[in-house]
Amino acid sequence: MIALDRLEGNEHYRKLNYKAALERYSAAITANLILLKYHDALKDAQKACDLDINNIKQLIRLCKCNIILGKFDGAKKLIDQVLVLDRNNLF
């Protein structure tokens, strides 16, 4: 299922249907986090953020992946980015 979400996301991306791609990547991220597949979740979260760098929900997911994997410098940059976009966001 996760691989299918990712493949569908890639297909939507190739067709320039970014909203649908983002939805599929988002589903893959959630499933990977639930299954503790953090490296895969990180890859999917990065793809989602590449599609919409101002999407706070995706930035927070990417931040969580970075924290879980011990990538604290990357997580800090993402937190700063979220706060620039939404100063009132306390996660």
Side-chain angles (χ1 to χ4, degrees):
M1 186 68 171
I2 298 168
L4 181 59
D5 286 325
R6 187 179 299 122
L7 289 173
E8 288 177 0
N10 290 343
E11 185 63 28
H12 288 299
Y13 182 83
R14 279 191 288 279
K15 293 179 179 176
L16 306 179
N17 187 351
Y18 299 125
K19 182 177 180 187
L22 188 59
E23 290 171 2
R24 300 314 329 141
Y25 290 139
S26 191
I29 296 163
T30 301
N32 279 321
L33 286 172
I34 290 169
L35 295 171
L36 310 178
K37 297 173 109 182
Y38 301 124
H39 287 92
D40 290 337
L42 179 73
K43 289 179 204 172
D44 293 330
Q46 187 59 60
K47 285 181 182 179
C49 286
D50 289 345
L51 289 173
D52 184 359
I53 197 64
N54 295 319
N55 186 316
I56 292 173
K57 186 175 182 179
Q58 298 302 340
L59 289 168
I60 291 171
R61 286 180 175 158
L62 182 58
C63 180
K64 287 179 183 180
C65 293
N66 274 274
I67 290 170
I68 289 168
L69 293 171
K71 299 179 179 206
F72 301 113
D73 289 339
K76 168 77 168 76
K77 290 176 186 174
L78 291 162
I79 291 168
D80 291 342
Q81 189 173 347
V82 167
L83 292 175
V84 166
L85 293 170
D86 181 1
R87 194 70 188 144
N88 297 317
N89 195 318
L90 299 176
F91 288 77

